[in-house]
């Protein structure tokens, strides 16, 4: 009787949730849609659209604006993008992630007492990628000049009313900021006063950054005056940043503060284009960037859950949560061992095996319907592509010691506070402040999804450039036992958490979606996608819907010791509104529960409505993320 009642309650809850009003209204547009992490940055995208730009132009304008507003990233960070090109019908992957600099070896970091590269400071920096990413996307797929696209960001750099979240983040991190002279100069305008950071609403000026952006535009405009083509002019701006006087000052400032980046590192770096990873889920083609990101883990999880009747289980029922949790744990175990920069892998990574339906069925058989499987390890996908796994013995050594004696954040340290708040409050604060996402679409069929990051607060600013350096080096490992494909090496890209997403239906764009939040990104995006496809939610309802988060994975960010990163089996974040019967059922399954008021992302997404020939925008109710449509 109790089981029947609980099932009825869960089915009723599912029906009510799919019909409920949202806290934010959905966005609607006929001509274009622009969504990102700050309202002012979304306005930058709308300005470019109104001037006749396409979705690529608008996305680049939003990216430039969010970097200028430190949301939470800077111009020295990294950019990962997926673009749908309506002229070719192809989905394109953009890899604008920096690389480890000269001298960045396991021996170097171990000599300094690290078990992982550091979280903060100049030694945490890979080479900057976002500038190159913006210029490349504009050159290949945009229509406007760099001058036009950077105009909103330059206005912001000249002075904008800073928001409370960013201003307070600077104040919280000010003791670390004071270690770096150029960061102190830019970020602490009230040095020596009780509050040294800007106040909310204060006009925050970044003159050094403005000068750098002016130099990029100057290089482009000078080339145009000299009768160069649009692409050649954009390349001139690119070269000035990576090979010219901007590079000189960036490298000087980085090395003065103890960094490793050289002029050769900048000059040798290039943006890469790729064919994204893709699987088909019940007739929908889902695209992610390849194994230098964690993106394929969501594709693996979709392949696994395809073996179960999720709709019958009911949205966020104990059975559903247990299935989703273990599916993600299985996919993350493979991510943690097999993913890394394919250009540097010791042998070709078994990605076709990892993404095969046969392998997913084998992994799905490991899910225990009665309790959490705490002993999940990497699987063996090699037979599914006709190869023998050269790492079978190493996987046996894979250290999965689960520390259940204490709590650990579900989020990277850069996205949480440095105050003495309770862990849950720190987690919630991260949801308001984290790495951003950018979504854009237009009436001509261009669709863009970007998850940029790096150079977050507190950041080391490189000399007088105004540019905060990346901290992505910490996503490498130093011990090949953890992951033989992701060991740090000069010129190598770390395996990142950053994971834009796109889905096509009947060969046409269906969804573009992304989210902030370190290791939680593909967890939240998986559930968002299932909310729409399995439970019939609108894009706004799916963006706001309650998600779960697992901690049964190796953390990609935060902490320089093994104990900081090890998986915690059964750690589960739930919504505070989770019914008591569900809580009790999950406890009996072996889960250790934490609760949050908002567990929905924050996800930003665009749904392309083929029936009505319109665009729907969705943006989670977690923070300042929102957009504009027309």
């Amino acid at each position: 009787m109790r089981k029947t009642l609980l099932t009825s309650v869960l089915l009723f809850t599912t029906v009510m949730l799919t019909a409920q009003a949202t806290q934010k209204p959905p966005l609607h547009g006929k001509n274009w849609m622009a969504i990102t992490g700050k309202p002012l940055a979304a306005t930058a995208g709308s300005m470019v659209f109104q001037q006749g730009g396409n979705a690529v132009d608008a996305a680049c304008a939003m990216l430039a604006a969010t970097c200028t507003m430190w949301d939470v990233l800077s111009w020295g960070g990294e950019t990962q993008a997926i673009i749908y090109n309506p002229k070719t019908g192809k989905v394109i992957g953009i890899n604008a992630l920096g690389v480890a600099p000269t001298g960045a070896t396991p021996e170097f970091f171990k000599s300094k007492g690290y078990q992982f590269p550091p979280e903060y400071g100049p030694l945490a920096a890979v080479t900057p990628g976002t500038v190159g990413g913006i210029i490349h996307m504009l050159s290949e797929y945009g229509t406007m000049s760099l001058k036009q696209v950077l105009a909103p960001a330059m206005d912001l750099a000249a002075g904008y009313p800073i928001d409370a979240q960013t201003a307070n983040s600077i104040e919280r991190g000010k003791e670390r900021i004071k270690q770096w002279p150029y960061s102190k100069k830019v970020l602490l305008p009230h040095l020596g006063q009780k509050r040294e950071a800007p106040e909310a609403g204060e006009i925050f000026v970044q003159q050094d950054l403005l000068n750098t952006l002016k130099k990029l535009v100057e290089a482009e405009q000078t080339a145009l005056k000299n009768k160069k083509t649009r692409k050649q002019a954009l390349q001139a701006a690119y070269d000035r940043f990576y090979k010219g006087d901007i590079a000189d000052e960036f490298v000087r400032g980085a090395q003065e503060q103890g960094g490793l980046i050289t002029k050769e590192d900048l000059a040798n770096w290039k943006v890469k284009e790729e064919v994204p990873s893709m699987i088909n889920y019940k007739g929908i083609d889902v695209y992610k960037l390849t194994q230098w990101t964690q993106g394929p883990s969501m594709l693996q999880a979709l392949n696994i859950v395809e073996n179960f009747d999720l709709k019958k289980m009911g949205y966020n029922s104990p059975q559903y949560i247990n299935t989703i949790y273990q599916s993600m744990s299985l996919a993350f175990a493979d991510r943690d061992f097999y993913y890394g920069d394919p250009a540097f892998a010791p042998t070709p990574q078994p990605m076709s095996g990892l993404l095969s339906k046969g392998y997913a069925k084998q992994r799905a058989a490991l899910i225990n319907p009665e309790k959490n499987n705490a002993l999940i390890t990497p699987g063996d996908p090699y037979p599914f592509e006709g190869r023998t796994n050269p790492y079978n013995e190493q996987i046996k050594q894979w250290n999965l010691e689960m520390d259940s004696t204490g709590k650990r954040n579900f989020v990277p340290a850069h996205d949480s506070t440095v105050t003495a708040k309770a862990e849950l409050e720190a987690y919630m604060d991260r949801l308001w402040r984290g790495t951003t996402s950018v979504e854009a679409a237009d009436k001509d069929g261009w669709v863009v999804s970007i998850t940029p990051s790096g150079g977050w607060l507190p950041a080391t600013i490189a000399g007088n450039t105004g540019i905060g350096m990346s901290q992505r080096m910490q996503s490498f490992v130093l011990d090949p036992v953890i992951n033989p494909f992701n060991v740090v090496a000069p010129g190598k890209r770390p395996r990142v958490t950053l994971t834009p997403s796109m889905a096509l239906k009947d060969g046409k764009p269906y969804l573009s979606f992304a989210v902030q939040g370190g290791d939680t990104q593909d967890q939240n995006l998986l559930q968002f996608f299932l909310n729409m496809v399995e439970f019939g939610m609108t894009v706004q309802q799916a963006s706001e819907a309650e998600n779960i988060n697992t901690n049964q994975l190796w953390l990609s960010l935060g902490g320089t010791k093994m104990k900081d990163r090890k998986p915690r089996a059964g750690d589960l974040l739930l919504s505070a509104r989770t019914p008591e019967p569900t809580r009790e059922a999950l406890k009996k399954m072996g889960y250790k529960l934490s609760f949050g008021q908002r567990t929905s992302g924050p996800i930003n997404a665009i749904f392309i409505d083929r029936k009505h020939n319109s665009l729907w925008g969705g943006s989670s109710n977690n923070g300042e993320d929102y957009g504009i449509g027309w």
Side-chain angles (χ1 to χ4, degrees), residues 11-21 315 531 534-538 541:
L11 290 174
F12 177 74
T13 301
T14 300
V15 171
M16 290 298 292
L17 190 137
T18 56
Q20 74 177 4
Y315 168 75
N531 289 342
E534 294 288 354
F535 299 107
M537 298 185 199
T538 68
Q541 290 168 340

Side-chain angles (χ1 to χ4, degrees), residues 490-560:
K492 187 175 183 178
R493 288 167 165 85
R495 197 275 300 152
V496 296
T497 56
L498 306 158
T499 174
S501 319
M502 198 169 291
L504 271 60
K505 198 171 185 179
D506 301 322
K508 299 291 185 182
Y510 167 66
L511 271 177
S512 178
F513 53 113
V515 70
Q516 65 185 54
D519 292 304
T520 66
Q521 287 183 32
D522 276 314
Q523 302 181 42
N524 290 327
L525 295 176
L526 170 72
Q527 293 165 85
F528 163 83
F529 180 81
L530 294 172
N531 289 342
M532 291 194 67
V533 174
E534 294 288 354
F535 299 107
M537 298 185 199
T538 68
V539 67
Q540 183 61 35
Q541 290 168 340
S543 297
E544 291 189 14
E546 298 162 359
N547 292 331
I548 68 164
N549 283 158
T550 173
N551 213 352
Q552 194 164 318
L553 48 76
W554 279 90
L555 281 184
S556 304
L557 299 156
T560 58

Side-chain angles (χ1 to χ4, degrees), residues 278-603:
M278 186 272 285
I279 60 100
N280 184 277
Y281 182 85
K282 298 186 176 181
I284 299 171
D285 293 331
V286 187
Y287 291 85
K288 286 285 195 172
L289 296 173
T290 60
Q291 65 268 28
W292 58 276
T293 75
Q294 70 171 336
S297 65
M298 178 183 149
L299 304 183
Q300 285 190 247
L302 281 173
N303 277 342
I304 293 169
V305 300
E306 200 171 24
N307 291 279
F308 300 91
D309 190 342
L310 300 178
K311 192 177 295 185
K312 184 177 180 181
M313 292 179 186
Y315 168 75
N316 277 2
S317 68
Q319 295 78 18
Y320 178 81
I321 291 172
N322 180 57
T323 302
I324 293 296
Y325 186 100
Q326 291 187 61
S327 296
M328 294 192 301
S329 297
L330 288 160
F332 279 124
D334 287 335
R335 177 204 76 167
D336 291 339
F337 188 80
Y338 290 114
Y339 290 19
D341 186 345
F344 277 75
T347 61
Q349 291 137 302
M351 296 311 297
S352 61
L354 287 167
L355 295 179
S356 68
K357 298 292 186 180
Y359 179 66
K361 187 172 184 179
Q362 182 187 85
R363 295 294 267 170
L366 299 175
I367 292 177
N368 188 329
E370 303 298 327
K371 64 179 181 179
N372 179 47
N373 182 354
L375 301 177
I376 287 171
T377 61
D380 185 2
Y382 283 86
F384 293 87
E385 52 185 56
R387 293 199 285 159
T388 300
N389 194 336
Y391 299 104
N392 281 327
E393 290 304 312
Q394 188 165 327
I395 288 174
K396 293 177 183 177
Q397 305 172 41
W398 205 63
N399 189 350
L400 271 180
E401 177 187 337
M402 309 298 187
D403 183 358
S404 60
T405 60
K407 291 290 185 180
R408 178 180 74 179
N409 249 341
F410 286 81
V411 297
H414 79 269
D415 280 340
S416 63
T417 67
V418 293
T419 64
K421 288 185 177 182
E423 181 173 330
L424 180 57
E425 291 176 340
Y427 173 76
M428 293 309 301
D429 182 73
R430 190 280 312 170
L431 288 176
W432 283 81
R433 297 192 299 108
T435 297
T436 197
S437 59
V438 175
E439 304 297 315
D442 65 37
K443 61 181 173 53
D444 294 323
W446 289 96
V447 186
V448 184
S449 180
I450 309 177
T451 312
S453 191
W456 52 71
L457 296 166
T460 307
I461 291 178
N464 295 306
T465 63
I467 293 174
M469 299 169 68
S470 169
Q471 301 95 338
R472 194 58 55 177
M473 190 90 75
Q474 64 188 290
S475 291
F476 280 115
V477 301
L478 306 183
D479 187 349
V481 172
I482 301 173
N483 182 340
F485 301 97
N486 191 35
V487 179
V488 66
K492 187 175 183 178
R493 288 167 165 85
R495 197 275 300 152
V496 296
T497 56
L498 306 158
T499 174
S501 319
M502 198 169 291
L504 271 60
K505 198 171 185 179
D506 301 322
K508 299 291 185 182
Y510 167 66
L511 271 177
S512 178
F513 53 113
V515 70
Q516 65 185 54
D519 292 304
T520 66
Q521 287 183 32
D522 276 314
Q523 302 181 42
N524 290 327
L525 295 176
L526 170 72
Q527 293 165 85
F528 163 83
F529 180 81
L530 294 172
N531 289 342
M532 291 194 67
V533 174
E534 294 288 354
F535 299 107
M537 298 185 199
T538 68
V539 67
Q540 183 61 35
Q541 290 168 340
S543 297
E544 291 189 14
E546 298 162 359
N547 292 331
I548 68 164
N549 283 158
T550 173
N551 213 352
Q552 194 164 318
L553 48 76
W554 279 90
L555 281 184
S556 304
L557 299 156
T560 58
K561 303 295 182 185
M562 290 286 187
K563 65 181 179 63
D564 300 325
R565 303 281 191 103
K566 284 181 179 178
R568 302 280 177 89
D571 271 16
L572 171 62
L573 176 73
L574 294 172
S575 166
R577 291 174 291 282
T578 303
E580 192 61 34
T582 301
R583 299 184 186 200
E584 291 304 315
L586 290 168
K587 288 177 184 177
K588 291 178 181 177
M589 290 177 174
Y591 292 102
K592 299 179 288 295
L593 309 183
S594 299
F595 300 93
Q597 291 299 319
R598 292 173 179 168
T599 58
S600 57
I603 292 164

Side-chain angles (χ1 to χ4, degrees), residues 229-251:
T229 66
R230 175 178 176 272
K231 283 192 174 185
Q232 289 171 333
L234 285 165
Q235 185 63 43
Y238 183 104
D239 288 344
R240 188 166 186 181
F241 186 88
Y242 288 98
K243 300 176 182 179
D245 57 339
I246 300 174
D248 290 337
E249 179 59 19
F250 186 96
V251 169

Side-chain angles (χ1 to χ4, degrees), residues 36 38 46 67 85 137 162 243 262 435 473 518 541:
T36 190
K38 297 282 186 184
S46 74
C67 288
N85 183 346
M137 288 188 286
I162 194 169
K243 300 176 182 179
T262 67
T435 297
M473 190 90 75
Q541 290 168 340

Side-chain angles (χ1 to χ4, degrees), residues 134-142 144 230-232 234-235:
I134 287 175
I135 294 173
H136 179 87
M137 288 188 286
L138 282 179
S139 177
E140 298 300 315
Y141 306 107
M144 302 179 82
R230 175 178 176 272
K231 283 192 174 185
Q232 289 171 333
L234 285 165
Q235 185 63 43

